[in-house]
Amino acid sequence: MDQIKKEVNSLAVKRKKGIGGRRHNRLTADVVDLEHEERTVVVLYNKPVGVITSHSNADALPGGSTTGRRTTVYEDVLSMRGYIPSNYVSGKNNTPLTFDEATGINIHSGSKLHAVGRLDVNTTGVLLLTNDGGLVHRVTNPSSGWEKIGKTYQALIMGWHSMDDVCGALTQMAKNGVDIGAKYGGMTAPPDHVRVLSHPTPKTTWVEITISEGRNRQVRRMFHSIGSGVIRLHRCRIGEELDLQLLDNRCKKKEEVREESFARNDFDFEKQERNDKMRPGSWRVLSDLEVQDKLGWDVRRISIPFQPTRKKSSPTDSQNINKKAHAVRRERKENN
């Protein structure tokens, strides 16, 4: 079967009009019926600044420029540069040979990673990627009927803000939500959680905010609506515990230390970033237990349609494609 798929992949083409009316051939429906199965896989990625959440190279061109391009999150993950294996050992070569071996996702046979909610180019932090479209819908669609999953951000915003001011813009936003404009959905729901972390300067404030909605650039627009531009934005957590700490480094004592830091009003983002075990650009595969407990999703088997690489071929190639498709059908009948 694998050999047949390889041969079909090398011959498959898309039907389209050519110069002078010449027609190229198209992969038949019989071949499209080829598929394979994979398990739900979820990747937790620490997105750096300057990397975009897009499959399209066109979206990677800054300001409509035709020269130069930004890296996409998918390119960065597939490069394997930042991979952290589950059995990571410091000082050793822990990188597997291929992305397929690390994740069980066969990118070359039709599988595709999907971002579970996007982060804009300048926002850093936790980004989930998965091959399971159902999980994407479960986390990002507030009307899906599932329990909502919060996304927690740390934002450095303009102005001095305090939750002690009951009439202040930040307090009112935390209580009632804000209007981010009809074009972007109007009134938001009140955030699940808002707190002031520190005041680095008399004119700036570090704020932690948790929301369950997922509108486009929502956190930035919410702060803009109260007259505060966002200088820096970092998604530090999804749900209660999916953060940038490795499992064996998450402990109650560390959380207590962070809480004491917030209480003293001396939150230091750079220091926290240095303490994160997952450096910008690094990623790991969530365990089945994490997917179930933290995202409320049962790992399942997914049928992935086989999608060959498109390339030009001759009419003879089209006949060979049909022969391969018939061979697949015969093999299925014999196995049944």
Side-chain angles (χ1 to χ4, degrees):
M1 175 69 78
D2 291 339
Q3 182 60 33
I4 292 175
K5 286 184 178 181
K6 289 179 181 178
E7 293 180 14
V8 170
N9 187 74
S10 68
L11 296 173
V13 294
K14 179 181 178 182
R15 181 185 297 276
K16 64 180 181 179
K17 288 282 187 178
I19 298 176
R22 183 177 179 180
R23 301 180 68 85
H24 297 290
N25 300 288
R26 183 183 182 181
L27 179 64
T28 66
D30 293 315
V31 178
V32 175
D33 188 48
L34 290 173
E35 60 183 29
H36 68 280
E37 284 193 341
E38 291 178 350
R39 300 173 74 256
T40 299
V41 176
V42 183
V43 167
L44 191 156
Y45 171 65
N46 185 3
K47 180 191 161 313
V49 170
V51 178
I52 66 167
T53 313
S54 173
H55 283 286
S56 172
N57 289 342
D59 292 342
L61 296 175
S65 171
T66 57
T67 60
R69 59 185 303 280
R70 295 189 178 106
T71 301
T72 71
V73 297
Y74 307 102
E75 291 171 335
D76 198 26
V77 169
L78 288 172
S79 74
M80 300 298 294
R81 287 189 296 264
Y83 174 64
I84 301 175
S86 58
N87 58 346
Y88 176 79
V89 179
S90 179
K92 291 188 176 182
N93 182 8
N94 297 278
T95 304
L97 296 177
T98 65
F99 177 81
D100 297 20
E101 292 175 345
T103 63
I105 300 176
N106 193 340
I107 291 293
H108 303 292
S109 294
S111 296
K112 191 174 184 180
L113 280 175
H114 306 276
V116 185
R118 293 166 60 119
L119 292 179
D120 65 53
V121 64
N122 293 317
T123 301
T124 60
V126 179
L127 180 65
L128 298 182
L129 307 171
T130 183
N131 61 340
D132 192 335
L135 175 58
V136 176
H137 180 74
R138 180 260 182 276
V139 176
T140 60
N141 190 343
S143 61
S144 61
W146 295 83
E147 181 181 354
K148 295 180 180 179
I149 296 177
K151 280 83 68 178
T152 302
Y153 298 81
Q154 292 164 347
L156 180 62
I157 63 175
M158 298 177 182
W160 177 282
H161 295 271
S162 172
M163 296 300 292
D164 296 332
D165 183 1
V166 295
C167 297
L170 187 63
T171 305
Q172 291 300 309
M173 181 184 77
K175 181 179 179 180
N176 304 312
V178 290
D179 187 353
I180 59 176
K183 182 179 178 180
Y184 306 107
M187 284 295 298
T188 69
D192 301 340
H193 171 79
V194 178
R195 66 172 169 178
V196 172
L197 302 179
S198 68
H199 296 94
T201 72
K203 295 183 178 181
T204 58
T205 305
W206 270 111
V207 178
E208 185 172 272
I209 179 172
T210 302
I211 63 173
S212 297
E213 295 179 299
R215 306 184 199 180
N216 182 31
R217 300 170 67 91
Q218 180 173 339
V219 174
R220 292 184 183 275
R221 298 187 197 282
M222 290 176 72
F223 285 119
H224 180 75
S225 294
I226 64 171
S228 293
V230 176
I231 302 170
R232 190 168 186 177
L233 186 61
H234 176 77
R235 184 193 280 166
C236 59
R237 187 167 60 253
I238 293 179
E240 294 296 325
E241 295 186 4
L242 285 180
D243 56 22
L244 298 174
Q245 300 300 319
L246 297 179
L247 289 179
D248 56 356
N249 290 297
R250 184 186 294 117
C251 60
K252 183 177 180 180
K253 184 177 180 181
K254 183 170 184 175
E255 289 302 312
E256 290 175 347
V257 171
R258 292 181 70 234
E259 292 297 332
E260 291 174 1
S261 174
F262 296 152
R264 294 194 304 268
N265 199 32
D266 62 354
F267 172 76
D268 186 332
F269 180 83
E270 281 71 23
K271 183 177 180 180
Q272 174 186 285
E273 193 172 41
R274 289 193 298 271
N275 289 333
D276 284 340
K277 299 303 178 183
M278 294 183 62
R279 302 303 184 193
S282 63
W283 60 274
R284 67 181 181 88
V285 178
L286 298 186
S287 67
D288 290 356
L289 185 60
E290 285 181 291
V291 174
Q292 186 172 31
D293 288 354
K294 315 308 181 189
L295 299 176
W297 187 260
D298 292 330
V299 172
R300 59 177 184 164
R301 299 203 69 82
I302 315 164
S303 294
I304 308 294
F306 178 62
Q307 298 179 0
T309 305
R310 295 173 179 175
K311 60 183 291 187
K312 293 183 179 181
S313 67
S314 66
T316 303
D317 289 335
S318 180
Q319 295 172 4
N320 291 335
I321 290 174
N322 289 324
K323 289 180 180 179
K324 301 302 179 183
H326 291 313
V328 170
R329 289 204 306 273
R330 286 198 302 270
E331 182 176 340
R332 286 178 176 174
K333 289 180 180 179
E334 291 172 358
N335 292 336
N336 293 333

